Amino acid sequence: DAGVTQSPTHLIKTRGQHVTLRCSPISGHKSVSWYQQVLGQGPQFIFQYYEKEERGRGNFPDRFSARQFPNYSSELNVNALLLGDSALYLCASSLARNRNEQFFGPGTRLTVL
Amino acid sequence: LAKTTQPISMDSYEGQEVNITCSHNNIATNDYITWYQQFPSQGPRFIIQGYKTKVTNEVASLFIPADRKSSTLSLPRVSLSDTAVYYCLVGDPYSGGGADGLTFGKGTHLIIQP
């Protein structure tokens, strides 16, 4: 059974640009969460979607947005990129019954120049 | 979510048992303790979760004292491939909606030497 997949694996953008990251959850998982991980830190929660609705949002500016599609895949969008947005962006999917057990994808490495 | 405190780094040798302790003084009644493992440039991987006493699976054991203010992740007979960052998290796995997401600290960087 395939795990969580993310695309692209790496991305280089310049300040002010826009980026879209994509995630496909494990089959049967309806919950998708996004995390940002900067070097040397643990992942920080950005969004959680369940059944195509936003259920939670971390402490991130409005430049960050996301959505979930009918097939439960998800996109994370970041506008007006800043140098500080350079990070590993992780997507995780989970079954609703135990939200502490999340299955993470390999991440998208975003570099903003 | 309750804050956790764990050592920044630990060293050990192949074949040894490694114990990583996590402090969570403000753990709530409904909170469980969960541990994740993360290798460089990969997403974290769920290792084990428990509420009290002892939980064991094929990868690790988790020891939780009666007051639940701390927990210890035990990795038996480690190998070089166990070199990774280990995160201790506390939270209610069954709260509605999971709106808070998982809260990760900086974790413990475990280095296994030959």
Side-chain angles (χ1 to χ4, degrees):
Chain A
D1 202 11
V4 175
T5 59
Q6 294 186 242
S7 63
T9 55
H10 296 85
L11 203 53
I12 299 175
K13 293 285 189 178
T14 57
R15 282 179 297 175
Q17 286 189 311
H18 160 91
V19 69
T20 298
L21 310 180
R22 296 177 175 81
C23 170
S24 292
I26 292 171
S27 177
H29 287 191
K30 299 180 179 179
S31 174
V32 170
S33 298
W34 287 93
Y35 293 81
Q36 180 196 64
Q37 186 174 27
V38 299
L39 201 61
Q41 304 291 321
Q44 300 300 304
F45 172 68
I46 309 175
F47 286 110
Q48 193 240 355
Y49 276 77
Y50 179 73
E51 287 283 13
K52 301 177 287 295
E53 291 187 5
E54 181 184 309
R55 297 299 182 95
R57 171 188 283 256
N59 187 25
F60 280 81
D62 292 343
R63 299 184 295 107
F64 289 76
S65 64
R67 54 179 176 168
Q68 187 177 34
F69 298 99
N71 66 353
Y72 303 109
S73 67
S74 178
E75 282 183 357
L76 175 70
N77 296 283
V78 186
N79 292 323
L81 286 168
L82 303 173
L83 296 179
D85 295 331
S86 295
L88 181 68
Y89 288 85
L90 296 160
C91 172
S93 72
S94 65
L95 294 167
R97 66 173 182 263
N98 179 0
R99 71 181 193 89
N100 285 359
E101 184 175 7
Q102 298 193 13
F103 297 81
F104 285 80
T108 294
R109 173 69 63 185
L110 172 65
T111 301
V112 182
L113 301 177
Chain B
L1 295 175
K3 181 178 178 179
T4 60
T5 302
Q6 52 183 125
I8 294 174
S9 65
M10 292 180 64
D11 293 323
S12 189
Y13 294 91
E14 283 191 294
Q16 299 294 305
E17 177 184 78
V18 171
N19 296 310
I20 305 175
T21 297
C22 178
S23 171
H24 28 80
N25 290 319
N26 297 322
I27 190 169
T29 302
N30 294 332
D31 285 343
Y32 281 61
I33 298 118
T34 309
W35 286 80
Y36 278 79
Q37 174 193 56
Q38 186 177 25
F39 299 113
S41 297
Q42 294 186 25
R45 181 178 75 106
F46 174 92
I47 301 175
I48 197 166
Q49 176 175 282
Y51 184 80
K52 62 180 179 180
T53 62
K54 177 183 175 181
V55 179
T56 297
N57 62 22
E58 65 277 6
V59 176
S61 295
L62 179 59
F63 298 92
I64 305 166
D67 67 5
R68 304 199 329 121
K69 294 184 183 297
S70 66
S71 59
T72 299
L73 175 73
S74 181
L75 304 173
R77 296 178 301 280
V78 293
S79 64
L80 295 177
S81 63
D82 291 315
T83 294
V85 178
Y86 292 82
Y87 297 97
C88 167
L89 295 78
V90 294
D92 181 353
Y94 309 114
S95 64
D100 293 334
L102 296 177
T103 300
F104 289 83
K106 293 186 178 183
T108 297
H109 188 189
L110 175 64
I111 299 172
I112 306 301
Q113 302 181 40

